[in-house]
Amino acid sequence: MKFTLKIWRQKNTITAGKFVDYQISDVNADMSFLEMIDVLNENLVRKGEEPVVFDHDCREGICGMCSMFINGRPHGPKQAVTTCQLHMRSFKNGETIVVEPWRAKPFPVIKDLVVDRSAFDRIISAGGFISVNTGNAQDANAIPIAKENADESFAAAACIGCGACVAACKNASAMLFVSAKVSQLALLPQGQPERNQRVMDMVAQMDNEGFGACTNTGACSAECPKEISLTNIARMNRDYLVAEITAK
Ligand code: SF4
Ligand code: FES
C-alpha cells in the first residue's frame, strides 16, 4: 500500500507548527499505524532528516501513550481502538492521511505529535488513590463486593488516561477521565472513607489545570478507546453535590 501523509511538525511548545507532506510506499496492510510511522522515520533518518516525534510505549492498547488525531478523529477511524492497535488495512490504498497532536490548552505540544499530559497525573495525585496501611494483603473474601459494583468499577478502571476524551471534546473537558478515576474507587468499599474529599480535590485540580466544562455532548465517550460510559460523569456530579452539601 502507499499513502500521502500530512503530518503536523512542530519544533517545540513555543514555535508555530505546520503540516508537512510525506509519501510512503511498500506499507504492509497488516502493519499497525505506529509501525507505519516507524518505517517513515527510518526513511527520514536515512535521508538525514529529523524523524517525526510521537508517543508510544506498550503497543498493546493498554498504556494510553499513542495519542494522536488521525483524519480528524482521536486514534483514527475505528471505534474503541488505540492508534497502536489500528492497522493500515483500515485505510484505502493511495489515501491521504492527516495526522495531528491532541489540541487542548491543558495539553501543550512538546514536539510534533507529543503533548504534555502531566495535567492528568496532577489530577490523580490530588485524590485518585486510597490511603491504606501497608502490610499483608487482606483475604479477598473479607470484603464482599456486589457483582454489579465490581463490574462497574472494573469498567471505569479500564481508562488508560490517553486523553482522547479531552481532545474530542469541543470544550476540552476532562470530565470523562476524572469521573472514571473517581468512580473506580467510589464503587468499592475501600474507596468510601475518602470518597467526599477525593471528588472535591480531583475536580478542583481539574479546574485548576484549565480543562473546560462538560456540556453533555458525549463526544468523549464516543471516541474513548475503552468505551468509558457517560454514567461515570453522572455519578461524579452526584458525588460532588453530596460532598459539597455535607462539607458545609
Ligand atoms: S476516559 Fe477514555 S478517552 Fe478519556 S483518558 Fe480514559 S481511556 Fe482515554
Ligand atoms: S502504545 Fe500503549 S496504548 Fe498504544
Side-chain angles (χ1 to χ4, degrees), residues 34 56-66 82 84 160:
L34 299 189
H56 63 108
D57 191 0
C58 71
R59 298 200 177 202
E60 292 179 352
I62 51 172
C63 77
M65 293 297 285
C66 55
T82 54
C84 58
I160 53 175

Side-chain angles (χ1 to χ4, degrees), residues 9-243:
R9 303 299 312 257
Q10 185 170 336
K11 210 170 161 42
N12 53 42
T13 309
I14 49 172
T15 313
K18 62 172 187 202
F19 283 107
V20 178
D21 287 5
Y22 299 98
Q23 304 299 326
I24 187 162
S25 50
D26 293 332
V27 174
N28 188 307
D30 296 326
M31 276 179 182
S32 75
F33 199 84
L34 299 189
E35 285 166 337
M36 184 275 296
I37 302 182
D38 289 339
V39 172
L40 171 75
N41 279 345
E42 277 170 21
N43 294 344
L44 292 177
V45 169
R46 252 186 247 118
K47 285 194 278 180
E49 292 178 33
E50 234 192 285
V52 175
V53 179
F54 64 100
D55 252 343
H56 63 108
D57 191 0
C58 71
R59 298 200 177 202
E60 292 179 352
I62 51 172
C63 77
M65 293 297 285
C66 55
S67 301
M68 59 185 83
F69 249 80
I70 302 165
N71 284 349
R73 290 186 65 185
H75 299 290
K78 290 264 180 185
Q79 209 67 27
V81 163
T82 54
T83 305
C84 58
Q85 297 294 296
L86 176 68
H87 294 95
M88 296 316 294
R89 57 180 178 266
S90 308
F91 298 88
K92 283 198 212 85
N93 192 20
E95 190 177 341
T96 298
I97 305 173
V98 183
V99 192
E100 300 168 77
W102 284 170
R103 309 273 189 197
K105 211 164 164 195
F107 289 162
V109 173
I110 296 174
K111 194 173 168 69
D112 295 341
L113 304 174
V114 176
V115 300
D116 179 357
R117 283 173 292 173
S118 54
F120 272 10
D121 297 333
R122 289 188 290 274
I123 294 171
I124 295 293
S125 302
F129 51 82
I130 54 167
S131 304
V132 289
N133 294 326
T134 52
N136 283 346
Q138 211 172 341
D139 183 351
N141 293 334
I143 309 175
I145 301 169
K147 172 83 167 73
E148 198 179 303
N149 286 0
D151 288 348
E152 279 190 60
S153 174
F154 191 81
C159 166
I160 53 175
C162 64
C165 44
V166 174
C169 177
K170 61 180 179 170
N171 309 317
S173 168
M175 291 283 275
L176 194 65
F177 164 76
V178 180
S179 67
K181 299 301 176 190
V182 164
S183 289
Q184 68 184 14
L185 298 173
L187 285 157
L188 299 177
Q190 296 91 330
Q192 301 316 308
E194 293 156 309
R195 184 170 180 168
N196 288 2
Q197 198 57 47
R198 174 181 307 113
V199 69
M200 287 201 292
D201 290 347
M202 290 180 78
V203 168
Q205 189 61 37
M206 174 181 80
D207 291 342
N208 287 343
E209 298 291 348
F211 292 102
C214 173
T215 49
N216 296 313
T217 313
C220 52
S221 186
E223 297 290 8
C224 171
K226 298 298 165 184
E227 301 185 303
I228 299 294
S229 164
L230 292 175
T231 312
N232 292 300
I233 297 183
R235 181 182 297 107
M236 182 172 80
N237 284 340
R238 275 197 309 273
D239 274 19
Y240 187 81
L241 192 64
V242 169

